[in-house]
């Protein structure tokens, strides 16, 4: 971790200068304008936009994340945030076959629906009950997922919740009932800042541990396939 942080610190100024003032590349998918950006060259990790349609809610990908994963962020009109077909087309366009998918509270339905229809493409899911539930009351109603609308998914999942927002716990119970391979983590109250500032923030540290565990499992499976 220290080596990754040192590498990031050494290249941060150059990276900032190289992207300053440059808009993310634009695509037109299903008639919808979509912008995207990538950081790193590892296994893909896609961060679903916040309720405003941008990735600013996530903060900056930390040095460790950028060193180990290809972090994909994208922006689009907020009305299309829960469009599973649009997300699938974006991944096809970016040549992303398999990935980790991370969703803030408002995007829990998108994550579950994507797992329902495209489970074979997912190595892991991250659901965060952070900030969106605290700052946007309407997000709570969006998280009221009817059990009948969900199907059980065997994809490994991490569910992060804040102790100070118990109002989302019933929705989390519904979600977790359909994720038999989930890990639920309750975070301290003062963790609502950018969760991908890894490993500085508690949420980011939990995400890092989960992704590293999934990577070990993925590499074990890949290694075993060579023996068949």
């Amino acid at each position: 971790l220290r080596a990754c942080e040192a590498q990031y610190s050494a290249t941060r100024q150059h990276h900032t200068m190289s992207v300053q003032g440059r808009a993310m590349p634009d695509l037109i998918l299903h008639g919808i304008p979509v912008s995207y950006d990538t950081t790193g060259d590892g296994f893909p990790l896609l961060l679903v936009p916040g309720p405003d349609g941008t990735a600013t809610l996530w903060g900056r990908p930390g040095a460790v994340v950028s060193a180990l994963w290809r972090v994909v962020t994208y922006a689009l009109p907020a009305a299309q945030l829960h469009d599973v077909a649009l997300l699938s087309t974006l991944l096809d366009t970016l040549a992303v076959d398999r990935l980790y998918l991370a969703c803030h509270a408002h995007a829990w339905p998108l994550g579950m629906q994507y797992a329902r229809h495209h489970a074979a493409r997912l190595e892991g899911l991250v659901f965060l009950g952070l900030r969106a539930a605290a700052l946007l009351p309407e997000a709570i109603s969006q998280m009221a997922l009817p059990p009948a609308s969900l199907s059980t998914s065997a994809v490994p999942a991490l569910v992060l919740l804040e102790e100070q927002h118990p109002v989302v716990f019933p929705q989390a119970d519904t979600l977790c009932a359909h994720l038999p391979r989930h890990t639920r983590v309750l975070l301290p109250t003062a963790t609502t800042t950018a969760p991908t500032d890894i490993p500085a923030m508690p949420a980011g540290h939990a995400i890092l541990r989960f992704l590293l565990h999934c990577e070990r499992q993925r590499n074990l499976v890949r290694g075993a396939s060579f023996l068949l």
Side-chain angles (χ1 to χ4, degrees):
L1 299 185
R2 292 192 185 96
C4 292
E5 289 290 348
Q7 179 183 6
Y8 179 81
S9 297
T11 59
R12 182 179 182 183
Q13 182 176 5
H14 172 73
H15 174 74
T16 302
M17 293 176 61
S18 67
V19 302
Q20 187 174 13
R22 176 180 62 82
M24 293 193 294
D26 290 323
L27 301 169
I28 300 297
L29 304 176
H30 301 190
I32 305 299
V34 180
S35 300
Y36 73 93
D37 201 2
T38 63
T39 304
D41 299 312
F43 196 83
L45 165 63
L46 185 135
L47 307 179
V48 173
D52 61 351
T54 75
T56 56
L57 194 64
W58 289 98
R60 65 172 178 86
V64 178
V65 175
S66 299
L68 298 178
W69 291 279
R70 175 191 175 194
V71 182
V72 180
T73 57
Y74 65 103
L76 75 173
Q80 275 70 44
L81 280 176
H82 297 145
D83 190 331
V84 176
L86 182 63
L87 174 57
S88 183
T89 300
L90 172 63
L91 294 174
D92 290 340
T93 303
L94 299 181
V96 174
D97 182 38
R98 295 184 62 81
L99 71 152
Y100 297 108
L101 182 65
C103 304
H104 262 279
H106 71 283
W108 285 8
L110 174 67
M112 287 301 297
Q113 292 301 322
Y114 192 82
R116 177 181 183 183
H117 296 289
H118 304 283
R121 300 183 72 167
L122 290 174
E123 289 289 343
L125 282 164
V126 176
F127 294 100
L128 294 96
L130 303 177
R131 295 190 66 177
L135 301 179
L136 300 173
E138 64 270 21
I140 297 175
S141 62
Q142 293 180 13
M143 288 190 297
L145 305 173
S149 71
L150 303 177
S151 60
T152 299
S153 172
V155 176
L158 174 68
V159 180
L160 296 175
L161 301 171
E162 284 190 310
E163 293 176 346
Q164 71 181 32
H165 299 308
V167 67
V168 304
F169 290 178
Q171 286 79 16
D173 290 339
T174 298
L175 178 78
C176 292
H178 295 267
L179 296 168
R181 297 180 62 190
H182 79 273
T183 300
R184 189 189 309 204
V185 177
L186 285 179
L187 298 171
T189 55
T191 59
T192 57
T193 52
T196 52
D197 283 344
I198 294 175
M201 300 306 299
H205 190 255
I207 295 172
L208 176 62
R209 290 174 60 88
F210 172 75
L211 292 176
L212 289 175
H213 173 75
C214 290
E215 283 291 275
R216 284 193 294 267
Q217 297 300 313
R218 185 173 68 88
N219 289 329
L220 283 174
V221 172
R222 185 175 59 182
S225 67
F226 291 127
L227 302 177
L228 299 179

